[in-house]
Amino acid sequence: IFQATKHLSTSTRTAIENDPSTVKAAFRQRLSQERARALMGGGETRISKQHTRGSLTARERLSLLFDSNTFRELDTLKSHRCTEFGMEHQDTPGDGVVTGHGLVNGRIAYAFSQDFTVLGGSLSETHAQKICKIMDMALRIGAPVIGLNDSGGARIQEGVDSLAGYADVFQRNVDASGVVPQISLVMGPCAGGAVYSPAMTDFLFMVEQSSYMFVTGPDVVRTVTKEEVSKEDLGGTSVHTVKSGVAHGAYANDVAALRAMRKLLDYLPSSNEKSTLPSKPTEDSPLRSCDALKYLVPDDPNTPYDMKHVISSIVDNHDFFEILPNYASNIVTAFARMEGQTVGIVANNPLTLAGCLDIGSSTKAARFVRFCNAFNIPIVTLVDVPGFLPGVGQEHGGIIRHGAKLLFAYAEATVPKVTVITRKAYGGAYDVMSSKHLRGDCNYAWSGAEVAVMGAKGAVEIIFRGKVWLIFLNFDGILF
């Protein structure tokens, strides 16, 4: 305004500058400029660097997560208040996180996406306030919350204010637990206190080669324990999806991960209200014949087979979404549909460890059962279990305590529970795997299935220990 009016007299210029229409026009122009700057994040150079490492920007990720043109951003221009350590000169609209809501497969969801191009996506007081705001809104209306994590951690310049921000987010995670689904997708670095929010959500997924999680990084480990380890070996996808069980799955790139999140959300209710359970029309008749089931399960109790083939045969369109596929693979946990309705599948898999229950499989299945119970999802349990895995490592690792978690989860579950014994159910594992004694609603057994304290060979060795028996075979049968 000053440049356009400097040739005028002072009084005339003052009148023009104070005119409401002039002031509003100037404000609109500045607002438009600030919005354009916010959309550019950390600038073209940093965006190019993000693309070079094979990652999308925060807004690109959100555009893939939500249905086309449905995302509505909140607090686009909100920035930090820090004035120390030179931060007063760091003007960052959005403060390193994009928040808002939109539609995923036609249903409303809330999300935040951390922007690594803006101050490394570091969490400040304002950054945390933006995240807490959309979590509070999601709780009020009953909608899922999706977090796309790509952050360098706490913003050190803000000191304890950034730590308080983390605690505020943690509290929202706890408040939302069992009320609305929470999904975390770690798409970049996630270290220190930042790891605990994703860990408290219902499901956590990672992107291969670009994401990692650890409480203390390789440098600290080297200093304290003298161990040399890379970021990938310390907290990469192969560690958390196979060894630790922290992550429920990993995907090759951002696009594959976001597509998978859309598929997962399609199975989940919007909240713990029964009315939000999704139902999909299907042409897969519940009366269709599954002839393959006659041959999938071998009669020999010691012959392995893949329980996933059984699951695929009985669910709608042979399709299911597996949770933690690479961790404790002796048990399968998955979401599927039957007659268009979402169900949770828990199944022993004899292909690994003969389907025995161990520490990993017990905790994996217990958490899944509790999620299904919290969100009114019926549970279908397919049982082929020879018992709990024996061994010193299992006993010292607390198999009693961890096995009790699965027992407790099934016993407290009030959703419909249907159990099918496909081949065998031995010992305490029979009780734990949603037996009728834990108030299962319907318990079935395939022809030829066995339910016993233990297998026949072990039972004979105990019952007839120390005794010599002569067995004579004649045409009338077996005589002792």
Side-chain angles (χ1 to χ4, degrees), residues 173-234:
N173 289 133
V174 174
D175 293 342
S177 180
V179 181
V180 296
Q182 300 179 81
I183 301 174
S184 293
L185 186 51
V186 179
M187 312 186 82
C190 189
V195 301
Y196 290 111
S197 177
M200 286 194 289
T201 57
D202 299 306
F203 302 105
L204 190 163
F205 300 91
M206 300 178 71
V207 177
E208 296 172 0
Q209 304 303 319
S210 62
S211 63
Y212 49 85
M213 299 178 66
F214 38 68
V215 176
T216 55
D219 293 339
V220 177
V221 171
R222 186 185 307 112
T223 301
V224 176
T225 69
K226 310 304 179 185
E227 296 173 288
E228 293 288 340
V229 63
S230 67
K231 290 180 179 179
E232 183 64 28
D233 292 336
L234 182 62

Side-chain angles (χ1 to χ4, degrees), residues 305-312 314-315 320 322-324 327-335 344-352 354-357 361 364-366 368-369 379-385 406 410 418-422 433-434:
Y305 65 96
D306 193 348
M307 186 66 86
K308 293 179 186 179
H309 295 321
V310 177
I311 298 171
S312 176
I314 64 176
V315 300
F320 59 91
E322 189 172 358
I323 302 297
L324 281 166
Y327 176 76
S329 54
N330 44 323
I331 202 162
V332 179
T333 53
F335 292 110
I345 305 286
V346 180
N348 306 111
N349 194 353
L351 204 60
T352 304
C356 283
L357 289 176
S361 61
K364 169 182 171 178
F368 183 78
V369 168
I379 302 169
V380 177
T381 306
L382 303 178
V383 182
D384 189 346
V385 60
L406 181 55
Y410 268 124
V418 177
T419 304
V420 180
I421 301 174
T422 61
M433 290 298 297
S434 192

Side-chain angles (χ1 to χ4, degrees), residues 402-414:
H402 295 290
K405 293 177 183 177
L406 181 55
L407 172 62
F408 192 97
Y410 268 124
E412 74 167 350
T414 57

Side-chain angles (χ1 to χ4, degrees), residues 14 39 42 121 126 234 245 251 275 297 317 328 336 339-340 369 376 384 387 422 470:
T14 302
L39 293 176
T126 299
L234 182 62
Y251 300 94
S275 60
V297 181
N317 304 313
E339 297 189 52
V369 168
N376 302 296
D384 189 346
T422 61
L470 298 177

Side-chain angles (χ1 to χ4, degrees), residues 1-2 4 21-37 77:
I1 296 174
F2 176 79
S21 60
T22 304
V23 173
K24 290 181 179 180
F27 173 77
R28 292 190 188 99
Q29 183 181 4
R30 183 185 175 191
L31 179 62
S32 178
Q33 292 171 347
E34 290 297 308
R35 283 176 172 168
R37 197 158 66 91
L77 304 181

Side-chain angles (χ1 to χ4, degrees), residues 227-431:
E227 296 173 288
E228 293 288 340
V229 63
S230 67
K231 290 180 179 179
E232 183 64 28
D233 292 336
L234 182 62
T237 54
S238 60
V239 172
H240 291 310
T241 59
V242 179
K243 297 179 181 179
S244 71
V246 169
H248 294 81
Y251 300 94
N253 52 55
D254 287 7
V255 176
L258 292 164
R259 286 177 176 172
M261 295 309 97
R262 286 177 58 85
K263 182 177 180 180
L264 174 59
L265 283 166
D266 213 23
Y267 286 103
L268 303 181
S270 295
S271 71
N272 59 3
E273 291 289 334
K274 289 184 180 180
S275 60
T276 66
L277 281 168
S279 178
K280 297 289 181 180
T282 179
E283 296 180 358
D284 191 351
S285 171
L287 302 178
R288 69 171 164 85
S289 176
C290 299
D291 295 331
L293 293 178
K294 298 177 184 178
Y295 313 104
L296 284 176
V297 181
D299 291 328
D300 183 356
N302 297 318
T303 302
Y305 65 96
D306 193 348
M307 186 66 86
K308 293 179 186 179
H309 295 321
V310 177
I311 298 171
S312 176
S313 298
I314 64 176
V315 300
D316 287 356
N317 304 313
H318 309 283
D319 186 41
F320 59 91
F321 188 98
E322 189 172 358
I323 302 297
L324 281 166
N326 299 318
Y327 176 76
S329 54
N330 44 323
I331 202 162
V332 179
T333 53
F335 292 110
R337 289 191 180 90
M338 289 184 171
E339 297 189 52
Q341 305 293 324
T342 299
V343 297
I345 305 286
V346 180
N348 306 111
N349 194 353
L351 204 60
T352 304
L353 297 177
C356 283
L357 289 176
D358 62 355
I359 292 172
S361 61
S362 295
T363 55
K364 169 182 171 178
R367 181 166 178 168
F368 183 78
V369 168
R370 296 190 72 177
F371 176 86
C372 290
N373 187 51
F375 290 96
N376 302 296
I377 299 173
I379 302 169
V380 177
T381 306
L382 303 178
V383 182
D384 189 346
V385 60
F388 283 90
L389 184 67
V392 175
Q394 289 291 307
E395 297 296 341
H396 290 182
I399 183 60
I400 298 172
R401 173 166 52 89
H402 295 290
K405 293 177 183 177
L406 181 55
L407 172 62
F408 192 97
Y410 268 124
E412 74 167 350
T414 57
V415 295
K417 294 180 287 186
V418 177
T419 304
V420 180
I421 301 174
T422 61
R423 189 167 62 174
K424 63 182 179 297
Y426 293 160
Y430 156 71
D431 284 328

